[in-house]
Amino acid sequence: MWPFEGFLFVHITTGAVGLLLFWIPVLGKKGSATHRKVGTWYSRLMLVTASMAIGMASTTLLAPIATHPKQVALNWPQSRIEGIFGWMMLYLAIMTIHLVWHGVATIRNKKQHLANRHWANVGLNLFTIFAALVCAYRGWLINETLMMGFSVVGVASGLTNLWFIYTDEPSRIMYQLEHVKSIVGSGISVYTAFMAFGFVRLNPGHALNPKMWSIPLAVGLVIIIYQQMRIRLAFWRSRAAASRVPSKA
């Protein structure tokens, strides 16, 4: 089915480049020109990649049998194809867009926090929560634990983002913490899709292998925890150093 294959081609191309670029700002010097430039390109590529995933998911929901013949050959029921490659992929794509958007906005608006309450930013968080709940409901209908379990991530992400957005006066490191959480989170989302959905092409019978879903999540959580600890430690050290400086009479 050509629309699906077209979406897939762009999705794989931009996603592969973006996932390689992901490591440069993650491992490189924070705040450098390279960090900002590569981070900008990563964000743009992820938005395109996720948009193509929305197209793939929508095409799957319109024609599940035509778009996934390998799953049909494995005797997957149509409801399961729609659930995994339709509703779940749609939810993951929306969540990726929401994570990238929030990650960029937290840095862009660090000097004007009220700008984070723009209707598009708030609406995207609410829409992500809605998409997660729809995914969970669709998973419940077909008794697919994976769909229900991963929906918790979207609900938690949307709620914590909204908590930050409506915090009156966030501390200056909260912007950095939110940025790390969201951008690395978007990497987790796309790497998860790459490891799971992409694995379909190589071994369709193991497309839902829990190991394929858990590896990106585990690695991503380690990165988030490490980077957030580094930010907090630098903040505490700067405060301690400032407190030791004698005040001028």
Side-chain angles (χ1 to χ4, degrees):
M1 189 173 181
W2 74 262
F4 180 86
E5 295 297 331
F7 290 134
L8 178 62
F9 175 78
V10 178
H11 176 79
I12 291 176
T13 303
T14 57
V17 176
L19 289 178
L20 289 175
L21 294 181
F22 168 79
W23 295 102
I24 297 176
V26 167
L27 300 177
K29 183 179 179 181
K30 305 301 179 284
S32 67
T34 300
H35 179 97
R36 294 193 298 270
K37 184 176 182 179
V38 176
T40 297
W41 275 107
Y42 166 78
S43 300
R44 291 172 178 172
L45 287 168
M46 287 301 99
L47 291 176
V48 174
T49 301
S51 298
M52 293 301 102
I54 290 176
M56 292 163 59
S58 301
T59 309
T60 295
L61 292 173
L62 290 172
I65 305 301
T67 53
H68 295 279
K70 291 186 177 181
Q71 271 57 53
V72 175
L74 291 170
N75 297 317
W76 279 38
Q78 180 174 326
S79 60
R80 196 181 192 207
I81 295 175
E82 292 174 347
I84 297 296
F85 298 101
W87 295 111
M88 187 169 185
M89 181 174 282
L90 182 62
Y91 151 62
L92 287 175
I94 293 169
M95 184 169 67
T96 300
I97 292 174
H98 126 98
L99 288 169
V100 171
W101 186 290
H102 184 73
V104 172
T106 52
I107 294 300
R108 182 176 296 169
N109 300 329
K110 62 182 178 180
K111 293 183 179 179
Q112 45 179 355
H113 181 61
L114 290 180
N116 288 310
R117 298 177 188 177
H118 187 275
W119 66 268
N121 198 23
V122 175
L124 189 54
N125 282 284
L126 293 174
F127 190 46
T128 299
I129 295 172
F130 174 73
L133 294 175
V134 170
C135 181
Y137 172 68
R138 290 287 175 174
W140 175 72
L141 289 178
I142 61 174
N143 195 30
E144 191 63 64
T145 305
L146 188 64
M147 293 176 65
M148 293 184 281
F150 256 77
S151 296
V152 175
V153 179
V155 173
S157 180
L159 290 176
T160 55
N161 285 1
L162 289 171
W163 174 80
F164 166 78
I165 288 170
Y166 284 101
T167 297
D168 290 332
E169 296 182 4
S171 66
R172 62 187 179 91
I173 67 166
M174 279 187 66
Y175 296 95
Q176 294 173 283
L177 297 175
E178 287 292 308
H179 176 72
V180 167
K181 180 197 74 175
S182 294
I183 294 299
V184 177
S186 70
I188 294 174
S189 179
V190 179
Y191 263 109
T192 298
F194 178 77
M195 294 287 287
F197 296 129
F199 200 64
V200 173
R201 298 276 169 173
L202 301 176
N203 195 335
H206 292 81
L208 302 182
N209 188 326
K211 293 180 181 179
M212 295 298 102
W213 294 81
S214 62
I215 293 173
L217 180 61
V219 173
L221 287 176
V222 169
I223 293 173
I224 290 174
I225 293 170
Y226 168 76
Q227 293 292 352
Q228 290 194 340
M229 286 179 63
R230 184 188 61 80
I231 291 168
R232 286 191 172 96
L233 184 59
F235 178 68
W236 292 333
R237 284 175 176 172
S238 65
R239 289 188 63 180
S243 66
R244 289 195 295 267
V245 175
S247 58
K248 293 182 180 179

